[in-house]
Amino acid sequence: DYELCEEWGHLYPIPREDLINLHREHLLHLLAMGDVEKALQLLQRIEDPGICLAISEQSLDQHPNLTASHFLADYLTAHFYANLTTARRNEIQALYMGSKVLLTLPELSRINYFHLSSRPLLMLEQLLMNMKVDWVAVAVQTLHELLAGQEIGFTVEEIDNLLSKYAEKALNFPFALKQKRS
């Protein structure tokens, strides 16, 4: 049905807002079905960059599933980096990094941390509080690789400070040691 509507749009003029809505719904449908290749082809078929940007941003703002969010954040960063405000750019890059970290977690556990996908530092802190040390190691390695030479609102030093804070707390003993009496 989406393809039929798209063909119809080539024959008859469709208002810009309706065209954006049509393509956004089609894109979200393709991403929900897991067909990233067709989603990319759809975006490449759109000739007007302004419409393509609007479709991509609106789709991302609908908070689709993890792989769709990751795809859209990556697409927006790769194709429209210069068109985005600094705040929006940081928001999208944080979402990209958060979704990348989520993809490193075991599949059944991702749902527990999905709500933190746009806040990677908070996700890392939650993993630390839940004592998921092995997952934290992979997440930190992923974040270090992604942060190399980028500015997105947090730094490698902030990650290291967070790890130091929780390492210090892990070494605090809430009781006094008893002395031996002779």
Side-chain angles (χ1 to χ4, degrees):
D1 291 344
Y2 291 117
E3 290 170 4
L4 178 62
C5 289
E6 189 176 337
E7 287 178 34
W8 188 266
H10 293 297
L11 299 173
Y12 299 98
I14 296 176
R16 178 183 167 88
E17 214 42 53
D18 292 339
L19 190 62
I20 289 172
N21 290 338
L22 166 70
H23 286 309
R24 183 189 66 234
E25 292 304 318
H26 188 191
L27 179 63
L28 288 171
H29 170 75
L30 290 172
L31 291 172
M33 300 302 290
D35 200 343
V36 177
E37 187 63 36
K38 280 190 178 180
L40 185 58
Q41 290 171 4
L42 170 67
L43 290 170
Q44 290 172 341
R45 279 195 310 267
I46 300 168
E47 295 172 6
D48 184 343
I51 290 177
C52 192
L53 173 62
I55 291 164
S56 302
E57 276 196 289
Q58 287 179 19
S59 297
L60 186 62
D61 290 341
Q62 297 231 341
H63 306 290
N65 64 38
L66 176 61
T67 53
S69 294
H70 186 71
F71 169 80
L72 290 166
D74 186 35
Y75 185 83
L76 281 164
T77 303
H79 293 88
F80 297 106
Y81 189 83
N83 301 67
L84 302 168
T85 64
T86 304
R88 183 69 168 157
R89 196 179 303 145
N90 288 346
E91 178 186 326
I92 290 171
Q93 286 182 318
L95 180 64
Y96 174 78
M97 289 186 184
S99 61
K100 187 78 166 178
V101 168
L102 274 174
L103 289 169
T104 66
L105 300 180
E107 193 169 339
L108 295 175
S109 301
R110 293 176 187 164
I111 191 73
N112 298 331
Y113 301 96
F114 181 73
H115 65 285
L116 299 172
S117 60
S118 62
R119 309 215 22 225
L121 276 179
L122 196 56
M123 184 188 317
L124 191 60
E125 188 168 5
Q126 188 69 48
L127 288 169
L128 284 166
M129 287 191 291
N130 290 340
M131 305 293 286
K132 305 294 184 184
V133 180
D134 295 338
W135 298 357
V136 169
V138 175
V140 167
Q141 181 181 357
T142 302
L143 286 173
H144 276 247
E145 290 169 6
L146 292 172
L147 280 172
Q150 289 195 23
E151 280 185 40
I152 66 150
F154 66 93
T155 61
V156 172
E157 288 77 29
E158 288 179 81
I159 294 171
D160 293 343
N161 289 340
L162 184 67
L163 293 173
S164 296
K165 175 181 156 186
Y166 278 89
E168 184 180 316
K169 287 183 179 192
L171 295 176
N172 283 341
F173 294 102
F175 55 89
L177 297 173
K178 294 183 180 181
Q179 294 180 346
K180 286 186 179 179
R181 293 186 181 186
S182 55

